[in-house]
Amino acid sequence: MEEDSLFYSAIKDATPAMSRYFEIKSQYPGCLLLFRIGDFYEMFFDDAKVASSILNIALTHRGKHGNEDIPMCGIPVATLDNYLGKLVRYGQKIAVCDQMENPEEAKKRGHKAVIKREVTRIITAGTLLEDVLLNAEKNNYLMAIVPSICKKTSAVKTISFSAIDISTGDFFVNSVVKEEFPNIINVYAPKEVLVPSRHENDEFGKYVAAVCEIHITFLPDSKFNPIVERERLERYFKVDTLDSFGITMNEELAACGAVLEYLLITQRGHLSSLPIPKRTSMGAYLILDPSTSKSLEITVSCRGEYQPSLLGSIDQTVTPLGARNLAARISTPIVDRDLLEKRLDCVEFFVENRKAANLLREIIRNCPDFERALNRVRFNKFSPRDIGDIRECLRIVEHLKSVLKDVAIPSEGEYLWENLRDFSSLLELLETALADKLPAGGRTGCLIADGYSKELDQLKYMKDHSEELIADLRNKYVDETDVGTLRIKNNGILGWYIEIPISQKSKMLGRFIHRQTLQNAVRYTSVELMSLQAKFTEALEQWNQLEQKIYGDVVRKLTSYHDDFVYAAKLLANLDVYTNFAHIAVERNYVRPVISPDPILEIEEGRHPVLELQEKEFTPNDCHLTMEERICLLTGPNM
């Protein structure tokens, strides 16, 4: 109650802008509120103290609250992403409050009207989309977990989880016994874990904190209600039942629904099309426990470094998609013999067709991060450059299709080049409608190609040639008045105006309208100049509106292909992995293993993929294990 009274007192005594700050801040407890004021995001009170310490920026003050200075720090809007990463790494959640109108629009509602501001996004470790905040070679999972607890013994029987990477579109769900849960954390390496608040101070909460060693977000128990979450999932995916999803346990429903609701909250409604959660086939993979993965240095070394590790030694992928695909395969080795043989067939094909493999690697080498560009579009957090990246990826896909039209590449089964949709008509639209180089930001004027719209070109001509038209009018007035020093200038208050030295005032004709007298100059306007300015203003507004309409139509057309883009991205990632393995196999003289159904391990002149790259001389080793000889004692430097 005391905090409430202080809050309402703060609103009562605050300026209109700060009153809005307090109001928004109360809606997002636990978040640093970045409150946009002009070209800066500003933070106040404790938020300012925390942010200035983490970011190592100056802590100053703005105005007073009561008799005390209000602590304040700020970061430029243009460089926001540079600071967000550090705040997230320190475990902070950030609510970004933007200006929903410019000062001129606010003034139309009254001279004292305050600029409208709203929170446009909540940024957390598990909901990142920006490239500068993500590791291109690793997934960024958000996970929700719900335990199934025995009523008699209060012991945890199973743990249900859902894991989603909104930057790539991967969404998984399953349940495991408690003993396997650390292995699941090791596989997905989530950046943020959602847990029901009832476990915040109990044994299960402490267990999760010990296993995860990352940021845990405790949500109200109501966010994990299986009945409510079932209805939420059915409503979101527009289905009458979730039976086809294979989600049967209440705890799994609660975990999936909690993830969905958390994303709806953090993405502020920009959640148009999440993928359907897939049930992971736990039996198809060898799930490594954290200790084994660490000691074998599968993805990182014992010191936490990429090199030397098994993944680091065999990763020569050329795209971010392929790098993530390879990391996922290494983290969860398959135990399905048929699938393994199919993958080996794919690699062997490119070993035997080196010319084709090298050509394909060169074609995909410059492929942008297709998956993450697609998902920024999905969450409406994209820039024109993301659209340009998608266009470039489609160029690469179409090029690959032409190269592969007479080549029968083997497949592991799920993704086939012959089933890929034809993107030629969409690519033609993107080529003709959009400018060659699209900006990273959202500014207008650089989006639509010349010649695509005659109406837009005419408006652009008027905008781009305004200075020429003004120069022609200025020359006309110089001739009429014989004032060679006459100038036509522009500022934000007067707009366009005519300026002459005060000594030439007598030469101005009656049709010039006086605007302002300064110490050494006089300013005028004219009917012609006002008409020209009105045309410029109208042309600029119409041009902006038309460009945004055309651009919006192109983006909407593009988004209708989303599922086909995802299919293409998976094909590109697989192709990168296959050709990567083939390249390494040829370079290092690796051979294809024979996978035996019998319990036999027979290796002749085996080589260690990591040590061999580090040591100048490496001695190959043999190993023979059978049912009769199941133990091998290794000693010496290669053990």
Side-chain angles (χ1 to χ4, degrees), residues 390-424:
I390 293 172
R391 177 177 60 185
E392 181 58 29
C393 288
L394 294 185
R395 289 170 178 160
I396 290 171
V397 168
E398 290 300 301
H399 189 186
L400 287 171
K401 286 172 64 177
S402 66
V403 170
L404 298 173
K405 63 181 180 180
D406 298 321
V407 181
I409 296 179
S411 167
E412 60 184 68
E414 190 173 358
Y415 298 101
L416 303 170
W417 282 97
E418 52 265 36
N419 292 342
L420 183 62
R421 182 170 178 174
D422 182 7
F423 295 115
S424 56

mmCIF file of all heavy atoms in Angstrom, residues 390-424:
data_model
loop_
_atom_site.group_PDB
_atom_site.id
_atom_site.type_symbol
_atom_site.label_atom_id
_atom_site.label_comp_id
_atom_site.label_asym_id
_atom_site.label_seq_id
_atom_site.Cartn_x
_atom_site.Cartn_y
_atom_site.Cartn_z
ATOM 1 N N ILE A 390 16.251 -11.778 -48.076
ATOM 2 C CA ILE A 390 15.371 -12.841 -48.570
ATOM 3 C C ILE A 390 15.420 -12.895 -50.089
ATOM 4 O O ILE A 390 15.477 -13.980 -50.692
ATOM 5 C CB ILE A 390 13.929 -12.626 -48.064
ATOM 6 C CG1 ILE A 390 13.870 -12.815 -46.544
ATOM 7 C CG2 ILE A 390 12.957 -13.576 -48.758
ATOM 8 C CD1 ILE A 390 12.540 -12.451 -45.920
ATOM 9 N N ARG A 391 15.415 -11.726 -50.723
ATOM 10 C CA ARG A 391 15.528 -11.683 -52.185
ATOM 11 C C ARG A 391 16.831 -12.338 -52.654
ATOM 12 O O ARG A 391 16.841 -13.126 -53.608
ATOM 13 C CB ARG A 391 15.462 -10.233 -52.677
ATOM 14 C CG ARG A 391 15.653 -10.086 -54.182
ATOM 15 C CD ARG A 391 15.511 -8.644 -54.632
ATOM 16 N NE ARG A 391 16.482 -7.768 -53.996
ATOM 17 C CZ ARG A 391 16.515 -6.439 -54.149
ATOM 18 N NH1 ARG A 391 15.594 -5.845 -54.903
ATOM 19 N NH2 ARG A 391 17.420 -5.714 -53.551
ATOM 20 N N GLU A 392 17.932 -12.035 -51.966
ATOM 21 C CA GLU A 392 19.219 -12.611 -52.344
ATOM 22 C C GLU A 392 19.204 -14.128 -52.159
ATOM 23 O O GLU A 392 19.763 -14.872 -52.982
ATOM 24 C CB GLU A 392 20.339 -11.991 -51.497
ATOM 25 C CG GLU A 392 21.736 -12.497 -51.814
ATOM 26 C CD GLU A 392 22.144 -12.280 -53.254
ATOM 27 O OE1 GLU A 392 21.663 -11.313 -53.888
ATOM 28 O OE2 GLU A 392 22.951 -13.081 -53.766
ATOM 29 N N CYS A 393 18.577 -14.597 -51.091
ATOM 30 C CA CYS A 393 18.474 -16.047 -50.871
ATOM 31 C C CYS A 393 17.664 -16.712 -51.981
ATOM 32 O O CYS A 393 18.006 -17.819 -52.425
ATOM 33 C CB CYS A 393 17.836 -16.332 -49.513
ATOM 34 S SG CYS A 393 18.902 -15.953 -48.118
ATOM 35 N N LEU A 394 16.602 -16.051 -52.426
ATOM 36 C CA LEU A 394 15.801 -16.622 -53.513
ATOM 37 C C LEU A 394 16.600 -16.671 -54.807
ATOM 38 O O LEU A 394 16.455 -17.616 -55.600
ATOM 39 C CB LEU A 394 14.520 -15.811 -53.705
ATOM 40 C CG LEU A 394 13.512 -15.857 -52.549
ATOM 41 C CD1 LEU A 394 12.242 -15.120 -52.922
ATOM 42 C CD2 LEU A 394 13.184 -17.297 -52.171
ATOM 43 N N ARG A 395 17.446 -15.677 -55.032
ATOM 44 C CA ARG A 395 18.332 -15.722 -56.209
ATOM 45 C C ARG A 395 19.224 -16.958 -56.141
ATOM 46 O O ARG A 395 19.423 -17.665 -57.142
ATOM 47 C CB ARG A 395 19.199 -14.464 -56.258
ATOM 48 C CG ARG A 395 18.472 -13.173 -56.617
ATOM 49 C CD ARG A 395 19.383 -11.988 -56.384
ATOM 50 N NE ARG A 395 18.748 -10.714 -56.761
ATOM 51 C CZ ARG A 395 19.148 -9.524 -56.331
ATOM 52 N NH1 ARG A 395 20.190 -9.448 -55.508
ATOM 53 N NH2 ARG A 395 18.529 -8.435 -56.712
ATOM 54 N N ILE A 396 19.766 -17.207 -54.950
ATOM 55 C CA ILE A 396 20.651 -18.354 -54.765
ATOM 56 C C ILE A 396 19.882 -19.665 -54.950
ATOM 57 O O ILE A 396 20.372 -20.600 -55.598
ATOM 58 C CB ILE A 396 21.310 -18.284 -53.372
ATOM 59 C CG1 ILE A 396 22.319 -17.131 -53.340
ATOM 60 C CG2 ILE A 396 21.987 -19.601 -53.004
ATOM 61 C CD1 ILE A 396 22.872 -16.819 -51.966
ATOM 62 N N VAL A 397 18.667 -19.738 -54.397
ATOM 63 C CA VAL A 397 17.851 -20.944 -54.535
ATOM 64 C C VAL A 397 17.541 -21.217 -56.004
ATOM 65 O O VAL A 397 17.650 -22.363 -56.479
ATOM 66 C CB VAL A 397 16.549 -20.816 -53.720
ATOM 67 C CG1 VAL A 397 15.568 -21.925 -54.091
ATOM 68 C CG2 VAL A 397 16.852 -20.856 -52.228
ATOM 69 N N GLU A 398 17.152 -20.178 -56.738
ATOM 70 C CA GLU A 398 16.838 -20.353 -58.157
ATOM 71 C C GLU A 398 18.083 -20.775 -58.938
ATOM 72 O O GLU A 398 18.007 -21.592 -59.867
ATOM 73 C CB GLU A 398 16.248 -19.069 -58.732
ATOM 74 C CG GLU A 398 14.844 -18.743 -58.225
ATOM 75 C CD GLU A 398 13.841 -19.840 -58.567
ATOM 76 O OE1 GLU A 398 13.653 -20.138 -59.760
ATOM 77 O OE2 GLU A 398 13.267 -20.424 -57.631
ATOM 78 N N HIS A 399 19.240 -20.213 -58.573
ATOM 79 C CA HIS A 399 20.499 -20.608 -59.218
ATOM 80 C C HIS A 399 20.794 -22.072 -58.937
ATOM 81 O O HIS A 399 21.168 -22.839 -59.843
ATOM 82 C CB HIS A 399 21.638 -19.718 -58.706
ATOM 83 C CG HIS A 399 22.928 -19.901 -59.456
ATOM 84 N ND1 HIS A 399 24.100 -19.292 -59.097
ATOM 85 C CD2 HIS A 399 23.241 -20.670 -60.548
ATOM 86 C CE1 HIS A 399 25.057 -19.644 -59.926
ATOM 87 N NE2 HIS A 399 24.558 -20.482 -60.814
ATOM 88 N N LEU A 400 20.623 -22.487 -57.683
ATOM 89 C CA LEU A 400 20.867 -23.885 -57.318
ATOM 90 C C LEU A 400 19.934 -24.824 -58.083
ATOM 91 O O LEU A 400 20.353 -25.894 -58.549
ATOM 92 C CB LEU A 400 20.673 -24.068 -55.814
ATOM 93 C CG LEU A 400 21.756 -23.498 -54.897
ATOM 94 C CD1 LEU A 400 21.309 -23.567 -53.446
ATOM 95 C CD2 LEU A 400 23.068 -24.254 -55.083
ATOM 96 N N LYS A 401 18.676 -24.431 -58.217
ATOM 97 C CA LYS A 401 17.714 -25.282 -58.922
ATOM 98 C C LYS A 401 18.132 -25.490 -60.373
ATOM 99 O O LYS A 401 18.001 -26.588 -60.918
ATOM 100 C CB LYS A 401 16.314 -24.669 -58.849
ATOM 101 C CG LYS A 401 15.662 -24.819 -57.478
ATOM 102 C CD LYS A 401 14.372 -24.041 -57.391
ATOM 103 C CE LYS A 401 13.322 -24.543 -58.342
ATOM 104 N NZ LYS A 401 12.040 -23.809 -58.192
ATOM 105 N N SER A 402 18.656 -24.425 -60.989
ATOM 106 C CA SER A 402 19.088 -24.560 -62.381
ATOM 107 C C SER A 402 20.317 -25.455 -62.492
ATOM 108 O O SER A 402 20.453 -26.232 -63.441
ATOM 109 C CB SER A 402 19.386 -23.182 -62.980
ATOM 110 O OG SER A 402 20.510 -22.578 -62.347
ATOM 111 N N VAL A 403 21.210 -25.363 -61.507
ATOM 112 C CA VAL A 403 22.416 -26.198 -61.504
ATOM 113 C C VAL A 403 22.064 -27.657 -61.230
ATOM 114 O O VAL A 403 22.672 -28.583 -61.792
ATOM 115 C CB VAL A 403 23.429 -25.678 -60.453
ATOM 116 C CG1 VAL A 403 24.581 -26.665 -60.272
ATOM 117 C CG2 VAL A 403 23.955 -24.312 -60.848
ATOM 118 N N LEU A 404 21.058 -27.878 -60.368
ATOM 119 C CA LEU A 404 20.738 -29.227 -59.913
ATOM 120 C C LEU A 404 19.625 -29.904 -60.723
ATOM 121 O O LEU A 404 19.230 -31.019 -60.388
ATOM 122 C CB LEU A 404 20.310 -29.184 -58.431
ATOM 123 C CG LEU A 404 21.373 -28.696 -57.440
ATOM 124 C CD1 LEU A 404 20.750 -28.534 -56.052
ATOM 125 C CD2 LEU A 404 22.534 -29.670 -57.396
ATOM 126 N N LYS A 405 19.138 -29.243 -61.762
ATOM 127 C CA LYS A 405 17.976 -29.791 -62.459
ATOM 128 C C LYS A 405 18.259 -31.156 -63.088
ATOM 129 O O LYS A 405 17.350 -31.985 -63.251
ATOM 130 C CB LYS A 405 17.476 -28.809 -63.514
ATOM 131 C CG LYS A 405 18.459 -28.518 -64.638
ATOM 132 C CD LYS A 405 17.855 -27.519 -65.620
ATOM 133 C CE LYS A 405 18.837 -27.217 -66.751
ATOM 134 N NZ LYS A 405 18.276 -26.235 -67.724
ATOM 135 N N ASP A 406 19.517 -31.414 -63.453
ATOM 136 C CA ASP A 406 19.864 -32.707 -64.044
ATOM 137 C C ASP A 406 20.704 -33.565 -63.102
ATOM 138 O O ASP A 406 21.321 -34.551 -63.518
ATOM 139 C CB ASP A 406 20.636 -32.487 -65.354
ATOM 140 C CG ASP A 406 19.802 -31.749 -66.398
ATOM 141 O OD1 ASP A 406 18.596 -32.037 -66.479
ATOM 142 O OD2 ASP A 406 20.352 -30.891 -67.107
ATOM 143 N N VAL A 407 20.749 -33.148 -61.820
ATOM 144 C CA VAL A 407 21.560 -33.866 -60.833
ATOM 145 C C VAL A 407 20.636 -34.465 -59.777
ATOM 146 O O VAL A 407 19.851 -33.750 -59.154
ATOM 147 C CB VAL A 407 22.592 -32.927 -60.163
ATOM 148 C CG1 VAL A 407 23.427 -33.710 -59.155
ATOM 149 C CG2 VAL A 407 23.483 -32.272 -61.205
ATOM 150 N N ALA A 408 20.748 -35.747 -59.556
ATOM 151 C CA ALA A 408 19.906 -36.435 -58.570
ATOM 152 C C ALA A 408 20.657 -36.550 -57.254
ATOM 153 O O ALA A 408 21.370 -37.523 -57.005
ATOM 154 C CB ALA A 408 19.519 -37.810 -59.083
ATOM 155 N N ILE A 409 20.520 -35.527 -56.399
ATOM 156 C CA ILE A 409 21.183 -35.550 -55.096
ATOM 157 C C ILE A 409 20.406 -36.471 -54.165
ATOM 158 O O ILE A 409 19.192 -36.338 -54.032
ATOM 159 C CB ILE A 409 21.243 -34.125 -54.486
ATOM 160 C CG1 ILE A 409 22.086 -33.207 -55.344
ATOM 161 C CG2 ILE A 409 21.821 -34.172 -53.075
ATOM 162 C CD1 ILE A 409 22.153 -31.790 -54.819
ATOM 163 N N PRO A 410 21.084 -37.412 -53.518
ATOM 164 C CA PRO A 410 20.369 -38.249 -52.538
ATOM 165 C C PRO A 410 19.885 -37.401 -51.372
ATOM 166 O O PRO A 410 20.395 -36.313 -51.119
ATOM 167 C CB PRO A 410 21.442 -39.260 -52.103
ATOM 168 C CG PRO A 410 22.747 -38.610 -52.395
ATOM 169 C CD PRO A 410 22.525 -37.737 -53.604
ATOM 170 N N SER A 411 18.877 -37.884 -50.681
ATOM 171 C CA SER A 411 18.294 -37.119 -49.578
ATOM 172 C C SER A 411 18.112 -38.017 -48.369
ATOM 173 O O SER A 411 17.951 -39.236 -48.502
ATOM 174 C CB SER A 411 16.944 -36.537 -49.998
ATOM 175 O OG SER A 411 16.232 -36.056 -48.892
ATOM 176 N N GLU A 412 18.122 -37.379 -47.190
ATOM 177 C CA GLU A 412 17.854 -38.162 -45.983
ATOM 178 C C GLU A 412 16.362 -38.364 -45.799
ATOM 179 O O GLU A 412 15.924 -38.990 -44.833
ATOM 180 C CB GLU A 412 18.471 -37.497 -44.760
ATOM 181 C CG GLU A 412 17.969 -36.109 -44.468
ATOM 182 C CD GLU A 412 18.712 -35.480 -43.295
ATOM 183 O OE1 GLU A 412 19.909 -35.199 -43.430
ATOM 184 O OE2 GLU A 412 18.070 -35.282 -42.256
ATOM 185 N N GLY A 413 15.528 -37.792 -46.708
ATOM 186 C CA GLY A 413 14.122 -38.155 -46.724
ATOM 187 C C GLY A 413 13.128 -37.031 -46.543
ATOM 188 O O GLY A 413 12.134 -36.938 -47.262
ATOM 189 N N GLU A 414 13.374 -36.102 -45.608
ATOM 190 C CA GLU A 414 12.335 -35.126 -45.275
ATOM 191 C C GLU A 414 12.273 -33.966 -46.256
ATOM 192 O O GLU A 414 11.202 -33.441 -46.552
ATOM 193 C CB GLU A 414 12.579 -34.594 -43.853
ATOM 194 C CG GLU A 414 11.425 -33.763 -43.325
ATOM 195 C CD GLU A 414 11.611 -33.392 -41.863
ATOM 196 O OE1 GLU A 414 12.616 -33.812 -41.244
ATOM 197 O OE2 GLU A 414 10.752 -32.672 -41.334
ATOM 198 N N TYR A 415 13.444 -33.538 -46.778
ATOM 199 C CA TYR A 415 13.479 -32.367 -47.648
ATOM 200 C C TYR A 415 14.092 -32.744 -48.993
ATOM 201 O O TYR A 415 15.218 -33.251 -49.056
ATOM 202 C CB TYR A 415 14.285 -31.242 -46.995
ATOM 203 C CG TYR A 415 13.673 -30.770 -45.693
ATOM 204 C CD1 TYR A 415 14.182 -31.184 -44.465
ATOM 205 C CD2 TYR A 415 12.566 -29.919 -45.693
ATOM 206 C CE1 TYR A 415 13.614 -30.768 -43.276
ATOM 207 C CE2 TYR A 415 11.991 -29.503 -44.512
ATOM 208 C CZ TYR A 415 12.515 -29.931 -43.310
ATOM 209 O OH TYR A 415 11.946 -29.516 -42.129
ATOM 210 N N LEU A 416 13.335 -32.487 -50.078
ATOM 211 C CA LEU A 416 13.747 -32.853 -51.429
ATOM 212 C C LEU A 416 13.730 -31.628 -52.329
ATOM 213 O O LEU A 416 12.762 -30.856 -52.305
ATOM 214 C CB LEU A 416 12.810 -33.922 -52.001
ATOM 215 C CG LEU A 416 12.658 -35.221 -51.192
ATOM 216 C CD1 LEU A 416 11.526 -36.057 -51.760
ATOM 217 C CD2 LEU A 416 13.961 -35.998 -51.206
ATOM 218 N N TRP A 417 14.761 -31.474 -53.147
ATOM 219 C CA TRP A 417 14.812 -30.329 -54.050
ATOM 220 C C TRP A 417 13.665 -30.350 -55.052
ATOM 221 O O TRP A 417 13.143 -29.296 -55.431
ATOM 222 C CB TRP A 417 16.166 -30.304 -54.781
ATOM 223 C CG TRP A 417 17.273 -29.766 -53.934
ATOM 224 C CD1 TRP A 417 18.181 -30.482 -53.213
ATOM 225 C CD2 TRP A 417 17.552 -28.389 -53.687
ATOM 226 N NE1 TRP A 417 19.033 -29.637 -52.529
ATOM 227 C CE2 TRP A 417 18.667 -28.346 -52.806
ATOM 228 C CE3 TRP A 417 16.991 -27.184 -54.111
ATOM 229 C CZ2 TRP A 417 19.210 -27.148 -52.354
ATOM 230 C CZ3 TRP A 417 17.537 -25.994 -53.667
ATOM 231 C CH2 TRP A 417 18.627 -25.974 -52.795
ATOM 232 N N GLU A 418 13.266 -31.537 -55.477
ATOM 233 C CA GLU A 418 12.198 -31.612 -56.483
ATOM 234 C C GLU A 418 10.841 -31.177 -55.929
ATOM 235 O O GLU A 418 9.924 -30.874 -56.700
ATOM 236 C CB GLU A 418 12.092 -33.025 -57.062
ATOM 237 C CG GLU A 418 11.976 -34.126 -56.039
ATOM 238 C CD GLU A 418 13.315 -34.763 -55.696
ATOM 239 O OE1 GLU A 418 14.325 -34.022 -55.668
ATOM 240 O OE2 GLU A 418 13.346 -35.978 -55.466
ATOM 241 N N ASN A 419 10.694 -31.133 -54.595
ATOM 242 C CA ASN A 419 9.428 -30.698 -53.988
ATOM 243 C C ASN A 419 9.426 -29.208 -53.633
ATOM 244 O O ASN A 419 8.446 -28.706 -53.076
ATOM 245 C CB ASN A 419 9.147 -31.505 -52.724
ATOM 246 C CG ASN A 419 8.835 -32.958 -53.034
ATOM 247 O OD1 ASN A 419 8.513 -33.299 -54.171
ATOM 248 N ND2 ASN A 419 8.952 -33.830 -52.040
ATOM 249 N N LEU A 420 10.510 -28.526 -53.958
ATOM 250 C CA LEU A 420 10.612 -27.110 -53.621
ATOM 251 C C LEU A 420 9.725 -26.272 -54.542
ATOM 252 O O LEU A 420 9.685 -26.499 -55.757
ATOM 253 C CB LEU A 420 12.067 -26.646 -53.745
ATOM 254 C CG LEU A 420 12.379 -25.210 -53.355
ATOM 255 C CD1 LEU A 420 12.052 -24.966 -51.884
ATOM 256 C CD2 LEU A 420 13.839 -24.884 -53.614
ATOM 257 N N ARG A 421 9.034 -25.325 -53.975
ATOM 258 C CA ARG A 421 8.144 -24.461 -54.759
ATOM 259 C C ARG A 421 8.929 -23.595 -55.737
ATOM 260 O O ARG A 421 10.079 -23.227 -55.488
ATOM 261 C CB ARG A 421 7.337 -23.571 -53.813
ATOM 262 C CG ARG A 421 6.328 -22.661 -54.517
ATOM 263 C CD ARG A 421 5.407 -21.985 -53.538
ATOM 264 N NE ARG A 421 4.474 -21.084 -54.199
ATOM 265 C CZ ARG A 421 3.480 -20.443 -53.579
ATOM 266 N NH1 ARG A 421 3.285 -20.632 -52.276
ATOM 267 N NH2 ARG A 421 2.669 -19.635 -54.233
ATOM 268 N N ASP A 422 8.296 -23.259 -56.836
ATOM 269 C CA ASP A 422 8.900 -22.368 -57.829
ATOM 270 C C ASP A 422 8.763 -20.922 -57.346
ATOM 271 O O ASP A 422 7.648 -20.422 -57.167
ATOM 272 C CB ASP A 422 8.185 -22.552 -59.173
ATOM 273 C CG ASP A 422 8.784 -21.681 -60.272
ATOM 274 O OD1 ASP A 422 9.830 -21.046 -60.022
ATOM 275 O OD2 ASP A 422 8.201 -21.626 -61.364
ATOM 276 N N PHE A 423 9.890 -20.249 -57.144
ATOM 277 C CA PHE A 423 9.887 -18.876 -56.645
ATOM 278 C C PHE A 423 10.123 -17.844 -57.755
ATOM 279 O O PHE A 423 10.309 -16.659 -57.471
ATOM 280 C CB PHE A 423 10.986 -18.687 -55.592
ATOM 281 C CG PHE A 423 10.796 -19.486 -54.337
ATOM 282 C CD1 PHE A 423 11.688 -20.490 -53.999
ATOM 283 C CD2 PHE A 423 9.722 -19.247 -53.498
ATOM 284 C CE1 PHE A 423 11.528 -21.220 -52.837
ATOM 285 C CE2 PHE A 423 9.546 -19.988 -52.331
ATOM 286 C CZ PHE A 423 10.456 -20.980 -52.009
ATOM 287 N N SER A 424 10.141 -18.274 -59.003
ATOM 288 C CA SER A 424 10.557 -17.372 -60.086
ATOM 289 C C SER A 424 9.663 -16.143 -60.208
ATOM 290 O O SER A 424 10.155 -15.023 -60.404
ATOM 291 C CB SER A 424 10.600 -18.127 -61.420
ATOM 292 O OG SER A 424 9.341 -18.733 -61.701
#
